Amino acid sequence: MTTPGGFTDAAAIRAEAMAAGAHAEAVTPLSESDVRKLFGPPVEPPRPPIAYRLGLLFVAVATVVLPLLYVALVASVVALTLWFAVATIDTVTTGFSSIRNYVGRIVVGSLLVVFLVKPMFAKRRRTVDAPSLSPDEEPVLHAFVRHVCTAVGAPLPTRIDIDGEVNASASFRRGWRSFFGTDLVLTIGTPLFAGMTVAELGGILAHEMGHFRQGWGMRLSFAIRTTNAWLHRVVHERDGWDEKLKNVGGWVWAATLARGCIWVTRRLLWLLMRIGQFLASTMSRQMELDADRHELALVGPTVLVTSLRKLVLLSETQDAAYETASAALRDGMLPDDLTTLTLDFRSRMKDDFARKLLESALERDTEALASHPGTRDRIAHAEAHGGSGPLRCDVPATALLADPVARQRQVTRAHYEVVAPGSLPHVAVVPTQRLLSDNRQAQADQEISARTYRDTVAYVLPLRLDTLPEVATDVPSLVEALGEARTAFESASSDAQRALSRFDQADTRIAHAHRIESLLAAGGDPDELHDLVVDDRTAEGAVSAQVSARAGQRRPRETVELAHAALRRRIACASALVHEHRTELGLDDQLARRFDRALGALRALSGQVDLLDEMRFDSYALVDLAKHRAGKDDLKARDAVAQAELSARKRFATLQTDLADVPHPVEADALLIDRLFADRAGAEARPLDRVGPLLDDVWVLYFRGLDVLARVVDRVEAACASIDDATETN
């Protein structure tokens, strides 16, 4: 089930692959002499086809024409504005209206120029340089790269960098300043070392060296891509200037005219951008196939196809690794080695799942604006080539590095400095194996939880644990009551599952009706909303739909409550046994501490269920209102958004206060508030950006707490069963 902020319990890959263990055994490093023996005489890649050379011509023309058209557009606006200012000044009278019209048109022209050139002055996104490997640090890798360059006749890179991506790339080291020389940088992702053989990595590097050999092709591709990136910023980038122009109070006619002119100009530039993208993408795909010819000449089609298949699977499992790291960040941790995490998921992936991923990749067509040919097209191109290359070595590519694990940790740290710089001072970077062990435990808890709750608990109707029922104190009575509660739950669970489904459907109607009501109050049109299950989209219809849906939830709620009551009795019996009789049952003190921590958090969250529901509806309305207000100079819409944000901010603050001293459901010596509000406490943050992620995290922690309780109940029931078995034996 998806939580209100869009959270899903686990990606498919995590569900398929979650397990622990090292992804590879230690590999004996190669020496420079070992590398030298791998290579024979240089190979000669086939001459590129005529389509590639014609593509160069078209891109060369576009590289010159597109920037000139952009400059001509800016110059035209400047010239037209100046002409108007000079040519019409004699027509201006002393009247306010005449002066306003004259000045207003000059302001419109000036604003248009500002909006066309302001990306030049925008702040650049923060970047962290990728770690570089010197020949002294990694002599074997440098020797390997040198031999690959010699084999395919490519210039040597000036520098070799590493990062954490499932990719390798060739680029100009200093951008435009390296345009006319051979100042090139080769970047290699550590997952390629960890997931490829020496021959496969050699083929991938030969592909990148093929780009080094492309000379003007590489330069023209760089130029057109840079031009397209600039046009993309002009067309799509929005900042405070756009917000001010959208919400300007006075001179409304001039602001409206300026927005219209800017919109038209951006549409024209969008057309230029799309033309440039089409030419650049077409050229890029031809360059990729040409680079593949260098790879084929060195390693042959079999190795190339194998490496392409590995790249598909490694890319998918890296997404799972990033998801796992994001989940760990919510708990104040980050793994120290994302590459190990990626390869662990890959090594545990089931064959059927891997086959489905590959089949999906092979079924995808190459898109018109794709920079690379699709996997299917590249494989077909390789198989048509035939033959075999001279480089053969099945040793893992980590043998090319002096200390692969240290390199993997190095690039992981660099990755965090880019994507989560503000979080690093507040989190613990822990060994990846510890995180994998924690994930193993979490998965085991989830499996027990699924058996314990049987899909009778959801965020729309959670198991409320504000209070637990009174139970007996002696072991025989508690064991008997525990068994009765379990039997009662099993009897009620099937009806509760069906009732919960009906309750959820009614909740959807309430949410949709609330969205309609909020949008109508802001002067919006409900037809702007899609996939609504409410037919009557008037204000009265929205209110009526909410009343009707809430009435329809009463019976399902009562049915689910029967199952929840049995669960509370079951938890209460387990609590008494684990606290008062754990020695007799052979249970340890740590289990009791875990139970108390989780139950304390769940009790507090149970008391906030109504507030969380209100915040959930806030999040839906805020998204709709923001979309409605976008691009409109509408006072009513602006007031509605402000009111909704104020309401959301108040509820946000209330929740933060009420949960101030609540323990974390899983982590010892941690508070719930530390994980929920660490990055969201700033008053300047918009509620639209805060509510959804907060709700995601709240319900993640809620269900993690339920997982802990389920594990304790399972352990207690197993201990009770052992006592019964021993009694029967005696």
Side-chain angles (χ1 to χ4, degrees):
M1 180 175 288
T2 302
T3 66
F7 171 80
T8 51
D9 288 335
I13 297 170
R14 289 186 69 194
E16 290 285 350
M18 186 71 73
H23 65 262
E25 298 179 358
V27 176
T28 303
L30 295 174
S31 66
E32 292 185 61
S33 61
D34 294 329
V35 168
R36 188 163 50 249
K37 295 173 185 176
L38 296 175
F39 292 87
V43 297
E44 184 58 38
R47 183 178 175 82
I50 188 66
Y52 172 72
R53 284 171 279 173
L54 287 175
L56 277 181
L57 177 61
F58 281 115
V59 172
V61 173
T63 302
V64 175
V65 170
L66 289 179
L68 288 179
L69 288 175
Y70 170 75
V71 171
L73 179 62
V74 176
S76 298
V77 175
V78 172
L80 187 61
T81 304
L82 292 175
W83 172 85
F84 175 82
V86 174
T88 63
I89 191 170
D90 294 336
T91 65
V92 180
T93 65
T94 57
F96 172 75
S97 178
S98 177
I99 295 174
R100 184 191 64 177
N101 290 339
Y102 175 76
V103 174
R105 284 167 172 78
I106 295 175
V107 168
V108 169
S110 302
L111 282 174
L112 187 52
V113 173
V114 168
F115 274 76
L116 285 173
V117 301
K118 69 182 174 71
M120 290 181 182
F121 309 102
K123 291 182 179 179
R124 295 298 186 264
R125 184 178 299 176
R126 179 181 183 271
T127 60
V128 175
D129 291 336
S132 298
L133 305 179
S134 70
D136 293 335
E137 293 174 314
E138 298 291 351
V140 177
L141 175 62
H142 274 266
F144 185 73
V145 170
R146 188 165 57 249
H147 284 293
V148 172
C149 288
T150 301
V152 299
L156 283 171
T158 306
R159 192 180 74 209
I160 299 177
D161 291 349
I162 54 171
D163 63 17
E165 300 304 311
V166 183
N167 191 28
S169 63
S171 58
F172 294 112
R173 186 170 69 91
R174 296 178 299 162
W176 284 106
R177 288 178 293 171
S178 301
F179 190 77
F180 292 104
T182 57
D183 188 8
L184 304 168
V185 60
L186 172 67
T187 304
I188 311 172
T190 51
L192 299 185
F193 290 103
M196 300 287 175
T197 67
V198 169
E200 290 161 354
L201 180 62
I204 292 171
L205 297 187
H207 174 101
E208 299 307 324
M209 305 310 171
H211 288 310
F212 284 179
R213 278 196 62 181
Q214 286 167 345
W216 278 107
M218 184 177 177
R219 287 166 174 78
L220 290 172
S221 177
F222 169 79
I224 193 69
R225 283 186 287 104
T226 303
T227 302
N228 282 338
W230 168 258
L231 290 173
H232 186 276
R233 294 184 67 193
V234 176
V235 172
H236 294 293
E237 190 175 78
R238 302 294 185 267
D239 56 20
W241 284 77
D242 294 88
E243 192 68 22
K244 290 174 183 177
L245 183 61
K246 182 170 64 177
N247 298 319
V248 67
W251 292 68
V252 174
W253 70 270
T256 302
L257 181 59
R259 288 198 299 268
C261 292
I262 291 169
W263 183 88
V264 171
T265 305
R266 282 173 169 167
R267 289 298 91 190
L268 291 173
L269 292 175
W270 176 87
L271 180 61
L272 293 180
M273 180 188 72
R274 298 298 276 187
I275 293 172
Q277 286 177 338
F278 176 77
L279 291 174
S281 300
T282 303
M283 184 61 202
S284 177
R285 292 196 297 272
Q286 290 295 324
M287 292 176 66
E288 292 301 322
L289 293 178
D290 178 66
D292 276 352
R293 295 183 185 96
H294 294 75
E295 183 172 355
L296 288 165
L298 184 65
V299 297
T302 301
V303 175
L304 187 150
V305 170
T306 301
S307 64
L308 286 175
R309 293 175 181 272
K310 284 187 176 183
L311 286 172
V312 170
L313 299 179
L314 286 173
S315 296
E316 294 290 345
T317 51
Q318 185 175 64
D319 290 342
Y322 286 161
E323 181 190 341
T324 300
S326 297
L329 182 59
R330 297 191 189 105
D331 295 331
M333 298 184 297
L334 284 171
D336 67 347
D337 186 350
L338 287 171
T339 299
T340 291
L341 199 58
T342 297
L343 269 292
D344 187 84
F345 282 137
R346 173 64 194 99
S347 67
R348 309 299 173 178
M349 185 185 292
K350 295 178 181 178
D351 291 341
D352 287 346
F353 191 68
R355 186 174 61 253
K356 289 177 182 177
L357 288 176
L358 289 170
E359 289 174 352
S360 176
L362 292 174
E363 288 172 359
R364 286 195 289 268
D365 295 326
T366 301
E367 297 180 358
L369 298 180
S371 62
H372 286 61
T375 302
R376 182 181 61 198
D377 293 341
R378 292 184 69 183
I379 289 177
H381 176 260
E383 291 175 341
H385 179 274
S388 61
L391 179 58
R392 289 285 179 270
C393 183
D394 293 332
V395 174
T398 48
L400 297 169
L401 296 174
D403 190 345
V405 175
R407 296 301 178 200
Q408 290 166 190
R409 290 173 178 164
Q410 184 181 14
V411 300
T412 297
R413 183 78 186 189
H415 174 77
Y416 294 152
E417 289 174 357
V418 173
V419 301
S423 299
L424 278 178
H426 310 293
V427 301
V429 179
V430 301
T432 297
Q433 292 302 330
R434 172 186 162 185
L435 183 64
L436 289 168
S437 177
D438 290 346
N439 283 340
R440 261 203 323 278
Q441 182 65 61
Q443 186 190 27
D445 286 350
Q446 289 169 11
E447 291 171 354
I448 295 170
S449 189
R451 297 197 304 268
T452 302
Y453 304 115
R454 295 191 179 184
D455 294 327
T456 61
V457 181
Y459 71 85
V460 295
L461 192 53
L463 173 63
R464 302 185 71 148
L465 296 168
D466 316 54
T467 58
L468 293 179
E470 296 288 335
V471 293
T473 57
D474 61 291
V475 173
S477 298
L478 283 170
V479 171
E480 182 180 1
L482 182 62
E484 290 174 351
R486 176 172 181 164
T487 301
F489 173 73
E490 290 173 349
S491 176
S493 60
S494 295
D495 289 340
Q497 291 169 8
R498 291 189 289 270
L500 182 57
S501 177
R502 295 195 299 274
F503 187 95
D504 188 37
Q505 292 170 6
D507 182 85
T508 300
R509 289 195 294 275
I510 294 170
H512 287 189
H514 179 77
R515 291 170 63 191
I516 292 171
E517 186 179 20
S518 300
L519 192 58
L520 286 171
D525 182 358
D527 288 336
E528 297 175 14
L529 308 176
H530 302 289
D531 302 323
L532 296 180
V533 297
V534 178
D535 295 327
D536 187 347
R537 302 187 180 185
T538 63
E540 296 78 9
V543 172
S544 176
Q546 292 181 70
V547 172
S548 174
R550 292 190 189 281
Q553 286 182 323
R554 293 193 189 103
R555 289 291 296 276
R557 186 192 296 272
E558 292 170 358
T559 302
V560 173
E561 178 55 30
L562 293 175
H564 284 187
L567 283 171
R568 281 190 288 271
R569 291 197 302 275
R570 197 172 168 188
I571 292 170
C573 292
S575 175
L577 286 166
V578 80
H579 284 96
E580 305 299 332
H581 306 287
R582 58 180 175 273
T583 303
E584 301 167 55
L585 297 175
L587 302 173
D588 55 35
D589 294 345
Q590 184 179 4
L591 194 68
R593 288 194 293 271
R594 289 189 69 196
F595 181 92
D596 290 341
R597 199 160 54 235
L599 184 60
L602 290 172
R603 277 179 168 157
L605 290 175
S606 295
Q608 304 297 323
V609 167
D610 293 337
L611 178 61
L612 291 171
D613 268 346
E614 293 171 356
M615 293 179 70
R616 177 161 60 93
F617 292 130
D618 278 347
S619 69
Y620 300 149
L622 279 168
V623 172
D624 293 335
L625 291 173
K627 290 179 180 177
H628 167 64
R629 183 191 171 194
K632 296 184 179 71
D633 186 20
D634 187 329
L635 183 61
K636 189 174 184 180
R638 185 167 54 194
D639 289 345
V641 171
Q643 184 62 38
E645 289 189 340
L646 177 62
S647 174
R649 192 173 282 112
K650 288 180 179 178
R651 290 180 176 131
F652 193 99
T654 299
L655 185 68
Q656 190 170 9
T657 301
D658 291 348
L659 298 180
D661 299 318
V662 177
H664 191 282
V666 178
E667 294 179 38
D669 303 322
L671 295 177
L672 194 66
I673 194 171
D674 296 334
R675 299 295 177 254
L676 291 178
F677 297 97
D679 298 325
R680 306 189 182 98
E684 71 281 358
R686 293 175 59 221
L688 177 62
D689 303 323
R690 303 163 78 195
V691 177
L694 173 69
L695 292 176
D696 283 353
D697 287 351
V698 166
W699 290 115
V700 168
L701 292 173
Y702 170 85
F703 283 106
R704 288 187 66 187
L706 283 186
D707 291 343
V708 173
L709 294 193
R711 187 173 186 81
V712 173
V713 170
D714 185 72
R715 288 278 301 278
V716 169
E717 289 178 341
C720 292
S722 298
I723 293 176
D724 290 341
D725 291 342
T727 303
E728 291 176 6
T729 301
N730 293 332

